[in-house]
Amino acid sequence: MPTPYGSRGGMAFSAAELHVLRRSLAHALQPSSAPLAAEEAQDCLRLAQSVDEAVREAGRLRAFVLDDLARYRGALPGSLSGYLELLRQALAAGYEPTPDDLAALRALRANPAAAALLERARAVAERSVRRRLTMAQAPRTRLLTLAGGREEPPRPAPAPKERPRPERPVPTPGEVFPPRRKPTPPPASGLAVM
């Protein structure tokens, strides 16, 4: 079974699993070859299930590390050395520091190791924000499929929709909000002025 390798999402495969992976990729890239034998198809399915399990295990490991990091952050300043080491490892693994991490490091910046880690965490956070902004502004491109994959029939172009005409004209602001009238003075009552 493939196993998670490191904290960056890598996976370790055995030689037999690599052989199955290579055969399935070769078949996907050259669909004109003979169909997969039943045994090869079963090998591919088992490998796919194993990869899915390894991905789930990597997710559980990442969740555990992040929970551990939050526990250490909550126990600061008593857990300073453990927190700094966990955060250093998480940053090396691609972790993007949260505002809580940055606030904790700012509070601990009297410690030289915390101050150095704060600068590193700030740089990672800024790169992350810039990357997300450029991704949000980048035009979306269509993904192309490899030859031999399942082809979907082309979709017909949608017909332009006609805007329905309103049954009655749209009211103007003057009709919706009539002009205010000047207040009239109150009627004179029979009181005598002295």
Side-chain angles (χ1 to χ4, degrees), residues 32-89:
S32 59
S33 62
L36 286 174
E39 183 180 328
E40 290 176 331
Q42 287 299 321
D43 288 344
C44 290
L45 287 175
R46 277 193 295 275
L47 181 61
Q49 291 169 346
S50 296
V51 168
D52 289 343
E53 178 59 31
V55 167
R56 285 191 295 273
E57 180 62 28
R60 286 190 292 268
L61 178 61
R62 180 173 172 77
F64 173 77
V65 169
L66 294 180
D67 287 345
D68 209 19
L69 186 64
R71 277 192 294 279
Y72 274 82
R73 184 176 51 239
L76 286 172
S79 63
L80 177 65
S81 62
Y83 174 71
L84 294 178
E85 182 59 31
L86 274 175
L87 185 58
R88 187 176 295 113
Q89 291 173 0

Side-chain angles (χ1 to χ4, degrees), residues 152-168:
E152 293 185 18
R155 295 181 184 171
K161 294 181 181 179
E162 291 185 27
R163 294 179 66 182
R165 298 264 183 211
E167 294 178 12
R168 63 181 200 86

Side-chain angles (χ1 to χ4, degrees), residues 2-189:
T3 56
Y5 180 74
S7 50
R8 288 189 176 256
M11 249 179 237
F13 290 90
S14 70
E17 291 165 342
L18 285 175
H19 184 68
V20 170
L21 187 60
R22 194 179 118 247
R23 280 188 317 205
S24 62
L25 286 174
H27 181 73
L29 292 173
Q30 303 210 351
S32 59
S33 62
L36 286 174
E39 183 180 328
E40 290 176 331
Q42 287 299 321
D43 288 344
C44 290
L45 287 175
R46 277 193 295 275
L47 181 61
Q49 291 169 346
S50 296
V51 168
D52 289 343
E53 178 59 31
V55 167
R56 285 191 295 273
E57 180 62 28
R60 286 190 292 268
L61 178 61
R62 180 173 172 77
F64 173 77
V65 169
L66 294 180
D67 287 345
D68 209 19
L69 186 64
R71 277 192 294 279
Y72 274 82
R73 184 176 51 239
L76 286 172
S79 63
L80 177 65
S81 62
Y83 174 71
L84 294 178
E85 182 59 31
L86 274 175
L87 185 58
R88 187 176 295 113
Q89 291 173 0
L91 288 173
Y95 172 69
E96 295 175 355
T98 64
D100 291 338
D101 292 317
L102 295 173
L105 287 172
R106 270 190 230 101
L108 300 169
R109 71 178 130 201
N111 181 312
L117 199 54
L118 174 62
E119 293 306 314
R120 184 174 171 201
R122 275 185 186 157
V124 170
E126 287 175 9
R127 274 194 310 256
S128 172
V129 168
R130 284 190 188 110
R131 181 181 44 82
R132 281 183 278 176
L133 285 174
T134 56
M135 286 177 56
Q137 295 171 354
R140 303 283 184 206
T141 58
R142 294 185 59 187
L143 295 176
L144 303 176
T145 59
L146 294 175
R150 189 180 84 186
E151 294 182 21
E152 293 185 18
R155 295 181 184 171
K161 294 181 181 179
E162 291 185 27
R163 294 179 66 182
R165 298 264 183 211
E167 294 178 12
R168 63 181 200 86
V170 178
T172 63
E175 294 171 338
V176 175
F177 304 105
R180 288 188 170 183
R181 300 201 173 155
K182 293 182 180 179
T184 58
S189 58

